[in-house]
Amino acid sequence: MSTRRIFLKRVGLSTLALGIPMAETLKAMENTKEDKVLRVAIMGLGSYGTRVADAMKDCKRAKLVGVVSGTPSKITDWQSKYDIPAKNCYNYENFDQIKDNPDIDIVYMTTPNSLHKPHCLRIAAAGKHVISEKPMALNAAEGREMVAACKKAGVHLMVGYRMHFELKTLEVVRMQRAGELGKTLFFQGLSGFIIGDPTQWRLDPALAGGGAMMDIGVYSINGARYMLGEEPTWITAQEVKNDPVKFKEGVDETITFQMGFPSGAVASCLSTYSLNNLDKFFLNGTKGFAEMQPSTGYGPIKAWTNKGPIEREHVTHQTVQMDEMAAIILDGKKPMIPVDGEEGLKDLVIVDAIYEAVKTGQKVTLS
Ligand code: NDP
């Protein structure tokens, strides 16, 4: 007997005893759709795609069922490693045919940044939901196209913001929203690592769309927004380049940036490809502070406030993310911090403003 049928049988007995109309209970159960699983194809079988695939082995609501790859040998490896049938394997030329595949619900793009937009448009046209890795696109104009295409196709567009489901992060956000830190007036976000191989796509502006800002800096942008719970109205930014050979034109090595918010709060952030162990969020309010270090790595995340440490269970971020994204799509669940295309677009508007502020040396005002 299926889990759902067993559950309905149990619920039926108990609700009759409580006098709750059976129809209402059945309707509530239909909404949870607890038997349904989100069937996922991963596009781009690289380092992060592999991490997501491994994490999904522990998911209850999401299942890896397909792949899109430009490397035939990886497809064969993944077929045996993750038990993927040949009918669910595609390459970048033929993946539009996914529209005729009823066994795939969503495509998760873990490809270089510049491929997110064109592939998203094709996935949406095929009638499948889309998860894009961060950054969602190269700029806000591309992001808007993605949001519009998914809306037109009636499919979900989400961004792989795994921190939006991380328990210590959510506790700090809850405290901030509940006013437990008082009025939060200052956020500091420090995001960086030393990048290796100079030939990798992350240092190719055509594929990456920039440098550290597009890769690691987006964590501080996104973090400032969810930690303070508001959108910035102005941006200033300064670039420092110590190695112009490795970090060529169009690839930022280090950028410091500041953001001002309607409440009067300010954020001061650093994005760099030249410092390791740089992964810290600090939020200060009139009544207290919260600090996280590491704040966005794969964890365990460490967090504490002026009252002491925040203790929460560490669960592999990508496992929680995929189960929660399944609940968003299958049950209409609303996450505490959004992960939809509009959320990705808000970050891209700020990325554009940071690059403009660096180029012009001027303060950029956002409406
Ligand atoms: P990798 O280089 O490890 O993998 C990218 C994969 O994309 C490749 O293996 C390849 O897979 C495919 N691909 C298609 N076209 C190209 C191309 N022209 N050049 C290179 N690869 C290509 O990158 P990552 O996995 O580290 O990053 C992928 C995305 O995930 C990025 O957007 C990045 O920002 C994001 N990311 C997110 C993280 C997070 O914590 N949320 C962490 C790390 C990355 P195939 O051979 O199968 O086609």
Side-chain angles (χ1 to χ4, degrees):
M1 197 185 290
S2 75
T3 329
R4 183 170 170 277
R5 283 183 61 199
I6 295 167
F7 188 90
L8 285 178
K9 209 173 157 199
R10 284 197 202 129
V11 165
L13 291 173
S14 56
T15 53
L16 280 180
L18 288 168
I20 299 168
M22 189 64 170
E24 260 177 46
T25 314
L26 283 174
K27 194 158 171 268
M29 266 313 295
E30 278 304 329
N31 289 342
T32 67
K33 297 183 182 76
E34 67 163 19
D35 283 349
K36 278 200 88 177
V37 165
L38 188 70
R39 298 159 308 168
V40 183
I42 292 186
M43 169 184 279
L45 314 182
S47 143
Y48 198 64
T50 304
R51 187 177 285 274
V52 172
D54 287 339
M56 252 197 284
K57 285 181 191 161
D58 294 324
C59 280
K60 294 185 175 62
R61 302 291 308 276
K63 184 172 167 25
L64 175 64
V65 298
V67 292
V68 182
S69 170
T71 313
S73 59
K74 287 190 202 169
I75 296 185
T76 330
D77 286 353
W78 277 51
Q79 277 193 264
S80 53
K81 194 170 166 199
Y82 301 105
D83 194 20
I84 294 169
K87 71 173 186 59
N88 290 356
C89 297
Y90 299 87
N91 58 41
Y92 299 108
E93 283 71 48
N94 69 13
F95 77 80
D96 309 272
Q97 292 167 15
I98 216 160
K99 72 175 189 306
D100 301 317
N101 191 330
D103 298 330
I104 294 174
D105 302 311
I106 189 162
V107 180
Y108 191 156
M109 306 187 296
T110 54
T111 44
N113 310 339
S114 68
L115 303 178
H116 296 172
K117 185 204 85 171
H119 287 163
C120 168
L121 301 194
R122 287 170 61 189
I123 298 163
K128 304 295 179 182
H129 304 296
V130 187
I131 304 173
S132 171
E133 249 321 311
K134 43 62 44 183
M136 188 173 90
L138 298 189
N139 51 51
E142 284 196 358
R144 282 190 195 96
E145 269 189 76
M146 293 166 77
V147 169
C150 289
K151 197 171 171 192
K152 188 172 164 213
V155 296
H156 282 267
L157 168 60
M158 295 191 280
V159 185
Y161 287 133
R162 58 189 162 77
M163 301 315 297
H164 293 206
F165 305 107
E166 195 279 321
L167 295 178
K168 290 173 192 163
T169 303
L170 291 177
E171 174 57 8
V172 174
V173 169
R174 186 202 63 73
M175 291 175 76
Q176 192 273 348
R177 304 292 190 271
E180 291 174 24
L181 303 174
K183 185 171 175 175
T184 43
L185 288 171
F186 180 70
F187 172 81
Q188 184 188 41
L190 307 176
S191 304
F193 67 94
I194 297 179
I195 190 131
D197 178 10
T199 65
Q200 65 184 287
W201 68 261
R202 281 179 166 78
L203 296 172
D204 175 353
L207 285 167
M213 183 60 63
M214 297 303 279
D215 188 8
I216 196 77
V218 290
Y219 284 100
S220 276
I221 295 174
N222 190 245
R225 293 180 45 251
Y226 63 69
M227 286 291 172
L228 288 165
E230 51 184 339
E231 302 302 322
T233 50
W234 59 258
I235 310 276
T236 50
Q238 310 77 32
E239 181 173 10
V240 175
K241 195 174 282 205
N242 291 321
D243 186 346
V245 176
K246 189 169 186 182
F247 304 104
K248 47 189 171 290
E249 181 70 26
V251 182
D252 48 285
E253 176 184 348
T254 300
I255 292 178
T256 54
F257 59 100
Q258 303 77 39
M259 300 189 267
F261 294 82
S263 66
V266 287
S268 173
C269 304
L270 174 66
S271 155
T272 184
Y273 265 158
S274 292
L275 284 173
N276 270 347
N277 304 306
L278 188 70
D279 180 8
K280 179 176 165 179
F281 284 179
F282 177 73
L283 182 67
N284 213 133
T286 49
K287 289 203 264 181
F289 70 82
E291 191 162 355
M292 309 182 73
Q293 188 175 18
S295 56
T296 65
Y298 298 134
I301 299 300
K302 286 196 188 130
W304 60 97
T305 71
N306 47 301
K307 292 189 178 150
I310 294 177
E311 307 289 359
R312 292 288 183 283
E313 185 193 3
H314 169 72
V315 187
T316 303
H317 295 174
Q318 296 80 5
T319 307
V320 185
Q321 175 201 325
M322 293 310 294
D323 270 341
E324 290 295 314
M325 286 184 164
I328 290 169
I329 290 180
L330 301 173
D331 307 341
K333 186 171 176 182
K334 298 269 179 259
M336 185 170 169
I337 315 171
V339 286
D340 55 23
E342 298 286 349
E343 179 75 7
L345 180 54
K346 284 176 185 167
D347 287 338
L348 291 171
V349 167
I350 296 173
V351 168
D352 284 357
I354 289 171
Y355 283 138
E356 190 188 334
V358 163
K359 204 164 115 193
T360 62
Q362 303 290 312
K363 183 181 201 174
V364 175
T365 306
L366 299 171
S367 51

